[in-house]
Amino acid sequence: MSSETAASDTETGTANTALQPTGAARRRGPFRVGERVQLTDERGRMNTITLEEGGAFHTHRGFLNHDEIIGQVDGSVVANNVGQQYQTLRPLLSDFVLSMPRGAAVVYPKDAGQIVTMADIFPGARVVEAGVGSGALSISLLRAVGDGGYLHSFERREEFADIARGNVETIFGGPHPAWKISLGDFQEEVVRSEEPGSVDRVVLDMLAPWECLDAVATVLAPGGVWINYVATVTQLSRTAEAIRADGRFTEPDAWESMVRGWHLEGLAVRPDHRMVAHTGFLLVTRRLADGVTGISVKRRPSKTEFSEEDLNAWTPAAVGERAVSDKKLRRAARDAIAGTNVKDNPAPAN
């Protein structure tokens, strides 16, 4: 197909779907059975539902039949049985990851956006990540690398991998061609599956990223970026000191991002009373060429030895990580997989 033909087809709304990136079709067209839809009522209250044939959304102010939404275009307004109006929209990525089934805490959109940008995740990049959790960060990374890229995700728990797989396939409309997920410890499995120096970016969301120094240094290409997401100051400090002592990486940089919304109503313009403040720290460094010794930044001497108390401060219990029951994980996995069962609407009769 020529570029002129493709452009003409796009203008008439009949673009060749084979040319669309994975997941693009899922973001367009009328609402389908199995899709998640965001409902906002007249008072701004928001609910996310999964459309089912014959299903209904119930509140203390009546019920809304799912059939009233199925087949409607994105952005429609529908009414329930007592006239209560609802605005219907497909959830944005930031909405989806906060409402999707989960077995572990998700990486917030503000941090995922920072990771994609500050780690320079580019189309076609070869990326490895650990751990997967519920798949929120995996979705952002797959969107960044595109169909021609490569994302290899490592997860220690099979239940989390199942939940992540369901969420990823829900938002992309099926398996993503650039994604591979493996079970096992990152530092052991990544060196078995990836060639030395073949990876462009490494993204770690784990309790002890300093344990992965050798594995990261082995698979990461010279100039490649290693970014870590950690929850506590102790984890941040220990990871930074381990990187400095190793000598195969650049001086690490660290930061956190905070997002504060604003209330907008006429002249009543003020910050919201609540904000998304600390969620985690990001620490980034880059791989130096083999045989090169990193340049040490001159600084005042400071304590770098960790006490027993420091070493225990990053354990799951110490950082407030709650144990997730097997029952909850199984339910989350079922909910995530259910989101992949989207049915295309029948084509309209001529």
Side-chain angles (χ1 to χ4, degrees):
M1 179 184 291
S2 69
S3 59
E4 291 82 7
T5 302
S8 175
D9 285 349
T10 301
E11 291 172 358
T12 59
T14 58
N16 187 346
T17 57
L19 299 178
Q20 298 185 60
T22 300
R26 178 61 61 90
R27 312 301 298 165
R28 303 186 177 116
F31 293 124
R32 307 169 180 88
V33 172
E35 275 197 283
R36 289 191 175 97
V37 175
Q38 196 177 78
L39 303 179
T40 306
D41 68 15
E42 296 165 1
R43 299 186 64 180
R45 291 172 297 202
M46 189 181 299
N47 289 276
T48 301
I49 64 172
T50 300
L51 295 177
E52 302 174 3
E53 287 182 309
F57 171 67
H58 291 265
T59 71
H60 68 286
R61 296 196 62 186
F63 61 89
L64 174 64
N65 290 320
H66 291 191
D67 292 340
E68 297 291 332
I69 304 172
I70 297 169
Q72 295 281 355
V73 297
D74 204 348
S76 297
V77 174
V78 296
N80 71 359
N81 65 311
V82 296
Q84 172 88 1
Q85 291 190 315
Y86 292 91
Q87 178 180 276
T88 62
L89 290 165
R90 281 191 176 89
L92 301 177
L93 175 60
S94 57
D95 302 315
F96 178 84
V97 299
L98 295 178
S99 64
M100 69 188 189
R102 66 177 72 174
V106 300
V107 174
Y108 269 69
K110 71 181 183 69
D111 295 318
Q114 290 270 308
I115 290 169
V116 168
T117 301
M118 302 306 289
D120 187 31
I121 310 295
F122 57 90
R126 292 181 59 85
V127 182
V128 295
E129 69 157 340
V132 177
S134 300
L137 181 56
S138 303
I139 293 169
S140 292
L141 294 175
L142 286 169
R143 282 190 167 188
V145 303
D147 291 1
Y150 175 76
L151 174 64
H152 193 172
S153 303
F154 295 86
E155 175 54 54
R156 296 174 63 183
R157 299 190 62 174
E158 186 174 2
E159 301 93 334
F160 287 171
D162 289 340
I163 295 169
R165 188 179 293 108
N167 288 327
V168 167
E169 293 186 8
T170 292
I171 199 164
F172 286 108
H176 196 287
W179 195 38
K180 177 181 179 182
I181 185 168
S182 298
L183 293 175
D185 289 330
F186 172 82
Q187 59 265 42
E188 298 175 2
E189 297 299 328
V190 72
V191 293
R192 295 174 183 167
S193 56
E194 304 297 334
E195 294 293 328
S198 65
V199 173
D200 298 307
R201 305 291 185 260
V202 174
V203 183
L204 299 187
D205 173 13
M206 58 172 58
L207 290 172
W210 55 87
E211 296 178 350
C212 302
L213 265 167
D214 286 337
V216 173
T218 298
V219 301
L220 193 58
V225 179
W226 175 20
I227 191 164
N228 299 277
Y229 180 76
V230 294
T232 70
V233 171
T234 305
Q235 290 171 286
L236 181 67
S237 175
R238 191 169 183 193
T239 305
E241 293 304 323
I243 289 171
R244 290 190 180 112
D246 184 81
R248 289 175 286 183
F249 298 90
T250 61
E251 177 69 12
D253 291 319
W255 69 94
E256 64 176 334
S257 63
M258 301 184 185
V259 175
R260 182 174 70 174
W262 279 71
H263 172 84
L264 302 173
E265 189 172 343
L267 297 179
V269 180
R270 55 168 173 75
D272 283 342
H273 296 308
R274 300 178 64 185
M275 66 179 290
V276 180
H278 175 76
T279 49
F281 298 103
L282 293 172
L283 183 145
V284 65
T285 185
R286 300 184 69 178
R287 178 71 159 92
L288 295 170
D290 290 336
V292 172
T293 301
I295 298 174
S296 300
V297 177
K298 294 182 179 180
R299 58 173 62 85
R300 293 178 180 178
S302 63
K303 175 187 174 183
T304 57
E305 296 297 322
F306 293 90
S307 66
E308 189 66 26
E309 182 180 0
D310 294 329
L311 295 177
N312 291 330
W314 56 268
T315 60
V319 300
E321 183 176 296
R322 297 180 180 179
V324 183
S325 68
D326 291 340
K327 181 179 179 181
K328 182 177 179 181
L329 289 175
R330 289 194 296 270
R331 183 171 64 249
R334 286 196 303 269
D335 292 343
I337 294 170
T340 66
N341 300 322
V342 177
K343 297 181 181 178
D344 289 333
N345 294 316
N350 292 329

